[in-house]
Amino acid sequence: MAVTATVSRAQVSRARGGTLKRQTVTEAAAEAIRERILAGDYAEGESLRQDALAAELGVSRIPIREAFRQLEAEGLVTLHAHRGAVVSALSLDEIAELFDLRALLEPDLLARAIPNMTEGDLAAAERILQSYENALNDADVHAWGEMNSEFHLTLYRPAGRSRSLGMVQSLLGNTDRYTRLQLVLTSGVERARAEHAQLLKLCRQRNAQEAGDLVRRHVHSAGEDLLAFLRQHRPG
């Protein structure tokens, strides 16, 4: 399968030929593979060939192997003794659990973050929303996922709870490929746009109670719509 690696410009610089230039090669390789998985370039259950990826990214097999371990910890890859690295396939029950965990963690993080938010935090969130809007207008599905996750994480960071934030970041990463699919093929885009704008407004008003309630509904409804979509398109 011919695939072009999509690597975050903020984290990894690449040469014209597609090889990785950054010193932290394992992180760069993990980012490249992660983005292919999230973009749907690699399907659920597909085997990832270590040699082929090393050649495509211009690195040795060692950082690819280490990247696989990192992605396994994130839940995106499963390592098998005889098959090597395989793109993880989440069951409907697992996806429901991930959204349930988000609905528990995110309202608490947001409530703790709001009293600590600065004008700089709010301005950063507003800029992300504008980028999100541009991505929607351009039908840039890759950017939707990035902007959606970064918007939420920007609002939660002032809580100062790095472990909880790390858990939420992992949960967002694990569900991102499914969420992108759902946004493309259902009516979720317009609701996400409206709810994000309202969430930022409530943060500006320092209304932690309503903001927490909204993010809980936002996560629950996204999960329910996603599960309904997946039930129609694949078995659990």
Side-chain angles (χ1 to χ4, degrees):
M1 177 177 62
V3 185
T4 300
T6 305
V7 181
S8 170
R9 288 188 296 272
Q11 294 182 343
V12 181
S13 60
R14 298 176 59 208
R16 180 177 295 275
T19 59
L20 303 174
K21 297 166 58 178
R22 179 178 160 143
Q23 289 299 311
T24 52
V25 181
T26 295
E27 289 183 18
E31 175 67 18
I33 300 166
R34 181 189 299 112
E35 195 47 56
R36 293 179 179 191
I37 293 171
L38 296 181
D41 294 332
Y42 294 146
E44 295 178 348
E46 182 172 346
S47 294
L48 302 177
R49 294 181 54 212
Q50 192 176 115
D51 289 347
L53 280 167
E56 288 173 26
L57 298 179
V59 300
S60 72
R61 289 181 296 175
I62 293 173
I64 298 295
R65 186 163 59 245
E66 292 172 348
F68 285 165
R69 293 194 187 101
Q70 180 177 332
L71 295 170
E72 182 184 37
E74 297 173 10
L76 293 176
V77 161
T78 303
L79 297 180
H80 297 279
H82 302 294
R83 293 184 62 195
V86 175
V87 178
S88 298
L90 296 177
S91 71
L92 298 186
D93 286 343
E94 287 172 323
I95 294 171
E97 182 179 2
L98 292 175
F99 276 91
D100 286 345
L101 287 169
R102 284 188 57 194
L104 286 172
L105 291 171
E106 294 184 42
D108 179 71
L109 270 178
L110 185 59
R112 294 175 185 274
I114 284 177
N116 301 326
M117 284 182 182
T118 66
E119 284 304 314
D121 295 325
L122 294 167
E126 188 167 10
R127 286 194 297 272
I128 293 168
L129 274 194
Q130 184 56 58
S131 297
Y132 183 77
E133 186 73 18
N134 294 339
L136 292 178
N137 292 336
D138 294 339
D140 186 344
V141 180
H142 164 65
W144 293 358
E146 283 193 344
M147 294 300 102
N148 177 70
S149 294
E150 188 54 33
F151 174 71
H152 282 270
L153 293 171
T154 297
L155 293 182
Y156 305 152
R157 286 191 185 102
R161 295 216 156 189
S162 59
R163 289 182 181 271
S164 297
L165 188 71
M167 292 173 68
V168 168
Q169 188 167 9
S170 178
L171 293 169
L172 286 165
N174 272 278
T175 55
D176 182 53
R177 53 186 154 152
Y178 302 109
T179 302
R180 293 186 196 190
L181 182 64
Q182 179 243 343
L183 286 175
V184 170
L185 298 177
T186 73
S187 59
V189 169
E190 290 304 321
R191 184 171 65 193
R193 173 188 276 148
E195 289 179 348
H196 284 165
Q198 179 63 15
L199 192 57
L200 181 58
K201 179 179 178 180
L202 291 171
C203 289
R204 286 193 179 280
Q205 295 172 348
R206 309 291 174 175
N207 192 333
Q209 180 63 51
E210 287 193 29
D213 290 343
L214 175 58
V215 86
R216 187 178 295 106
R217 293 194 306 272
H218 176 72
V219 170
H220 271 310
S221 61
E224 289 169 359
D225 285 356
L226 175 59
L227 288 168
F229 171 79
L230 290 175
R231 287 188 188 102
Q232 294 178 344
H233 290 80
R234 72 167 168 109

